[in-house]
Amino acid sequence: MPFPAQMETLTDYGLKEIIQLISNVTDSFTTALFLFDPAKSKLSLRCYQSLSLHINPDTQLQTGDSLIGWVAKSQHPLNIAQFDRDTRNLKLYLRDEKIKSFLAVPVGEVGVLCIDSKRNYVFTDKDQKILQNFSLLVLHVLKTLEIAKKEREQYQILEFFNHINNLSREKQDINHYYSKALNCCRSFSRTDAAFLALVPRKRDRYKIVASDGKLPAPLKKTFHSIEMGLTGWVIREEKPLVRRSMKPRNHKSYIFYPDDPCSHFQSYIGLPLCFFGNLYGVMNLIGHRENDWKEDEIQALTSVGPTIITSILYLMNL
């Protein structure tokens, strides 16, 4: 495949080096960077450098929670000399480390950068200025990582388009085309199973003609009513159907019929396959986990539908 089945994630290259540099420059006991989640509802520990053996790497804070959360909420630095409280109140440590001073500064509106010390009872104004300058550098690296991530996503989409177009130019058996096209779409969408259903002219039923991925049991190889399941809805409405999360997990929705082997799915994309305004089929992409598809990924999958069904109709008439 020209693109991986799982979208590659960018590393924290650059951030870790800055955190290490801050630790060396300030002679801190711990240097930690907290960043907001996309909804800006909580802060998570992104990376850190520490002499402590009791850091909680899974630390998460609500805005305003603990001293670190207060800095995120107020957008003001916090410099505490003669630190005389239990460090577990920071929520960063699993046990009290008896630090002597603590300093935290906001990183724009995206997070908090903090340091503490077991050697010095105070961080000077100069230390605070240095940490604020480092926070600007961290912000620059984060923006660079975000740009690189977006470019990677766009590259993945272009590779997906190219692969679908290349499939349409290959001379092959129609069943081979079914398999390759489904596998390509399943890999791009990070789903576990894919199904292709074709609809006869009467539009009162459909038949599954191909599948790809993890199938717990075979499907009934018969025609199915368009009045049933999410597939039937896509056919009737002639519109894409996207479900990034099926809640509750014991939902009653089904893809084809009530006792089909896909009953425990947690995410779903149903794509109508149309050619010159006429619907000829549906592609189902099914995930066993919740999925966070972005709008441009959904648009990419929708855009290749006409190419796929055009290729199928051409191969049927060879």
Side-chain angles (χ1 to χ4, degrees):
M1 294 290 290
F3 48 84
Q6 182 80 20
M7 183 76 78
E8 292 183 5
T9 56
L10 293 169
T11 66
D12 285 338
Y13 177 76
L15 290 179
K16 292 179 180 178
E17 286 73 13
I18 293 174
I19 297 302
Q20 291 171 358
L21 180 59
I22 294 171
S23 295
N24 293 334
V25 170
T26 62
D27 197 22
S28 65
F29 179 64
T30 295
T31 301
L33 173 64
F34 287 84
L35 296 179
F36 277 113
D37 63 347
K40 288 197 171 184
S41 60
K42 62 183 177 181
L43 289 160
S44 297
L45 180 60
R46 176 72 169 263
C47 57
Y48 66 92
Q49 177 81 14
S50 182
L51 297 176
S52 173
L53 299 178
H54 307 288
I55 294 286
N56 178 10
D58 300 319
T59 302
Q60 291 188 339
L61 304 169
Q62 301 296 321
T63 304
D65 185 21
S66 88
L67 297 175
I68 297 167
W70 182 89
V71 172
K73 183 177 181 180
S74 67
Q75 287 290 289
H76 290 295
L78 181 64
N79 193 345
I80 301 179
Q82 305 287 338
F83 196 96
D84 60 356
R85 62 194 73 187
D86 192 322
T87 50
R88 284 174 294 186
N89 292 331
L90 295 173
K91 307 292 179 70
L92 176 60
Y93 296 105
L94 296 172
R95 80 173 195 183
D96 186 17
E97 288 286 6
K98 301 188 183 306
I99 64 172
K100 296 179 179 179
S101 53
F102 175 81
L103 172 61
V105 299
V107 180
E109 296 182 352
V110 301
V112 173
L113 181 62
C114 62
I115 56 176
D116 58 31
S117 176
K118 294 182 80 170
R119 299 180 62 181
N120 300 314
Y121 284 100
V122 62
F123 284 113
T124 65
D125 291 342
K126 181 179 179 181
D127 292 326
Q128 181 171 320
K129 183 65 175 178
I130 289 172
L131 194 62
Q132 286 176 313
N133 287 337
F134 271 120
S135 74
L136 296 177
L137 181 57
V138 168
L139 195 60
H140 175 72
V141 171
L142 289 171
K143 289 180 179 178
T144 301
L145 287 172
E146 185 62 30
I147 291 171
K149 179 182 177 183
K150 189 64 177 178
E151 289 177 347
R152 179 62 179 169
E153 291 170 352
Q154 293 301 314
Y155 173 78
Q156 297 279 359
I157 290 173
L158 288 174
E159 286 291 286
F160 174 56
F161 282 145
N162 287 337
H163 193 59
I164 290 293
N165 288 332
N166 288 337
L167 282 179
S168 299
R169 291 195 291 267
E170 295 178 11
K171 185 177 181 180
Q172 58 192 306
D173 175 79
I174 190 170
N175 290 312
H176 288 161
Y177 180 81
Y178 287 157
S179 178
K180 292 178 181 178
L182 285 177
N183 182 264
C184 182
C185 293
R186 184 179 63 80
S187 297
F188 177 76
S189 62
R190 305 179 299 283
T191 46
D192 300 289
F195 299 89
L196 178 65
L198 295 183
V199 182
R201 290 184 178 180
K202 287 186 178 181
R203 294 273 305 278
D204 59 344
R205 54 184 181 164
Y206 66 90
K207 185 174 184 179
I208 302 161
V209 297
S211 61
D212 180 77
K214 300 175 184 178
L215 308 176
L219 287 163
K220 297 176 182 178
K221 295 182 178 180
T222 59
F223 281 99
H224 304 284
S225 170
I226 66 167
E227 300 302 322
M228 299 177 64
L230 300 181
T231 305
W233 186 95
V234 175
I235 294 172
R236 296 193 306 272
E237 300 296 325
E238 296 188 20
K239 296 191 298 187
L241 181 60
V242 179
R243 293 289 181 267
R244 293 174 173 83
S245 173
M246 301 296 296
K247 295 180 180 179
R249 295 188 67 84
N250 59 345
H251 59 85
K252 301 299 183 181
S253 299
Y254 53 90
I255 307 296
F256 303 108
Y257 45 88
D259 59 341
D260 70 41
C262 305
S263 58
H264 297 294
F265 71 98
Q266 291 301 312
S267 53
Y268 170 79
I269 302 176
L271 300 173
L273 302 178
C274 301
F275 179 67
F276 279 103
N278 294 318
L279 184 139
Y280 289 89
V282 173
M283 181 185 296
N284 289 307
L285 300 167
I286 300 164
H288 297 158
R289 298 165 299 280
E290 296 178 4
N291 223 310
D292 59 348
W293 300 299
K294 297 178 176 61
E295 286 302 322
D296 53 0
E297 291 179 297
I298 299 298
Q299 184 59 47
L301 287 163
T302 303
S303 297
V304 300
T307 301
I308 291 173
I309 197 60
T310 301
S311 300
I312 290 172
L313 293 174
Y314 172 77
L315 291 171
M316 281 181 169
N317 290 294
L318 283 180

Coordinates of all heavy atoms in Angstrom, one line a residue, residues 38 140 144 163 176 200:
P38 N -7.8 18.9 22.6 CA -8.5 19.7 21.6 C -9.7 20.5 22.1 O -9.9 21.6 21.6 CB -8.9 18.7 20.6 CG -7.9 17.6 20.7 CD -7.6 17.5 22.2
H140 N 6.5 27.9 19.5 CA 6.9 27.8 18.1 C 7.0 26.4 17.6 O 6.6 26.0 16.5 CB 8.2 28.6 17.9 CG 8.8 28.5 16.6 ND1 8.3 29.1 15.5 CD2 9.9 27.7 16.1 CE1 9.1 28.8 14.4 NE2 10.0 28.0 14.8
T144 N 5.0 24.4 14.6 CA 5.7 23.7 13.6 C 5.2 22.2 13.5 O 5.0 21.7 12.4 CB 7.2 23.7 13.8 OG1 7.6 25.1 13.9 CG2 7.9 23.0 12.7
H163 N -3.9 6.1 -5.5 CA -4.0 4.7 -5.5 C -5.4 4.2 -6.1 O -5.4 3.3 -6.9 CB -3.9 4.1 -4.0 CG -3.7 2.7 -4.0 ND1 -2.7 2.0 -4.6 CD2 -4.5 1.7 -3.4 CE1 -2.8 0.7 -4.4 NE2 -3.9 0.5 -3.7
H176 N -11.1 -9.0 -8.3 CA -9.8 -8.4 -7.8 C -10.0 -6.9 -7.5 O -9.4 -6.4 -6.6 CB -8.7 -8.7 -8.8 CG -8.3 -10.1 -8.9 ND1 -7.6 -10.7 -10.0 CD2 -8.5 -11.1 -8.0 CE1 -7.4 -11.9 -9.7 NE2 -7.9 -12.3 -8.6
P200 N -29.8 -3.3 -7.5 CA -30.4 -3.5 -8.8 C -31.3 -2.3 -9.2 O -31.6 -1.4 -8.3 CB -31.2 -4.8 -8.7 CG -31.6 -4.9 -7.2 CD -30.4 -4.3 -6.5

